[in-house]
Amino acid sequence: MPQPSVSVDEAVARAVELARTADRAQTADPARTSDPDRTATRAVLGITGAPGAGKSTLARRIVSEVDAALGPGTAVQVPMDGFHLANAALDELGRHDRKGAIDTFDAGGYVALVRRLAANTEPVVWAPDFDRRIDEPVAGSIAVPRSARLVVTEGNYLLDADEPWADLVDLFTETWACVVDDAVRVDRLVGRHMRHGRDHDAARAWALEVDGVNAARVAARVGRASRTVRT
């Protein structure tokens, strides 16, 4: 059965609904929060898509609008990019020139974190972030308290069929795929790479030759999403 295709506005409204549903369930059974042995109610939304498809932009808007509707701290964004291997590790592995490929992430670490976020039994879970200014992951940057009703996590490989990535689909409440015209996506990537120091030719080469390979892998799995978002 084909998955629904929705606009960004419709996707944001759905995310608010997911957070509101979790909040209502928690309010109906407040012991879930006070009892450390019980799981507090939470939705975990996975957003995937090719590089440049607008995943992070959508995630940021969702967090902003959920918090506006239900109160600050209701939603938290946790990027998969926090699990990039460090540049020194990529140099040692000879993979720095393919940074962003599926084997340049700590897949097991990311899956383990999503499992903890979905279980929601800890007072707070600390997640890593990715700092584009230094092009490195930064550990322990994002606090996800037990009271957060919606966690939005985004990345390229959330629907990949290889282990351990394949475990993710069962951990997410829903998994969305951002889709956009390829020419628009590549233009976005060229602009991003230029903002971070590459000249136009180098930026376009990376967008087509490195990001392009990763985009093809992501596109092959979009059919596993619970809905697609036109970004």
Side-chain angles (χ1 to χ4, degrees), residues 102-113:
I102 196 166
D103 64 334
T104 65
F105 290 88
D106 174 13
Y110 177 65
V111 172
L113 176 72

Side-chain angles (χ1 to χ4, degrees), residues 20-227:
R20 198 183 303 278
T21 298
D23 190 55
R24 285 172 177 161
Q26 187 66 42
T27 301
D29 187 5
R32 286 179 179 270
T33 298
S34 58
D35 185 346
D37 294 326
R38 298 184 65 184
T39 299
T41 305
R42 168 182 289 164
V44 181
L45 173 61
I47 301 177
T48 192
K55 303 179 294 294
S56 298
T57 301
L58 176 60
R60 286 192 295 270
R61 181 172 167 193
I62 286 171
V63 169
S64 176
E65 298 210 17
V66 167
D67 281 1
L70 299 176
T74 302
V76 181
Q77 180 180 357
V78 177
M80 189 196 87
D81 277 358
F83 288 86
H84 270 288
L85 298 182
N87 289 332
L90 294 175
D91 288 337
E92 187 174 341
L93 293 168
R95 294 292 286 163
H96 202 157
D97 63 345
R98 288 296 180 266
K99 186 171 185 174
I102 196 166
D103 64 334
T104 65
F105 290 88
D106 174 13
Y110 177 65
V111 172
L113 176 72
V114 173
R115 200 178 301 279
R116 291 171 66 196
L117 294 172
N120 198 17
T121 57
E122 302 170 61
V124 63
V125 172
W126 286 93
D129 201 355
F130 187 79
D131 189 338
R132 292 192 182 276
R133 295 169 299 179
I134 60 173
D135 198 37
E136 292 275 17
V138 182
S141 297
I142 301 169
V144 186
R146 200 164 181 236
S147 58
R149 294 290 161 255
L150 177 68
V151 173
V152 185
T153 183
E154 91 287 344
N156 293 349
Y157 306 115
L158 274 55
L159 290 173
D160 202 87
D162 284 0
E163 296 294 339
W165 302 96
D167 293 343
L168 289 168
V169 70
D170 292 329
L171 299 174
F172 295 134
T173 308
E174 292 186 5
T175 311
W176 300 352
C178 293
V179 294
V180 66
D181 180 80
D182 258 0
V184 173
R185 187 181 61 77
V186 170
D187 281 349
R188 290 175 181 172
L189 288 171
V190 171
R192 177 193 298 174
H193 295 321
M194 290 180 68
R195 287 193 298 275
H196 291 93
R198 292 187 172 95
D199 63 31
H200 181 270
D201 288 347
R204 186 164 181 82
W206 190 280
L208 294 174
E209 297 168 14
V210 179
D211 293 329
V213 171
N214 304 334
R217 182 174 186 128
V218 173
R221 311 298 185 189
V222 166
R224 302 179 72 204
S226 40
R227 68 189 63 208

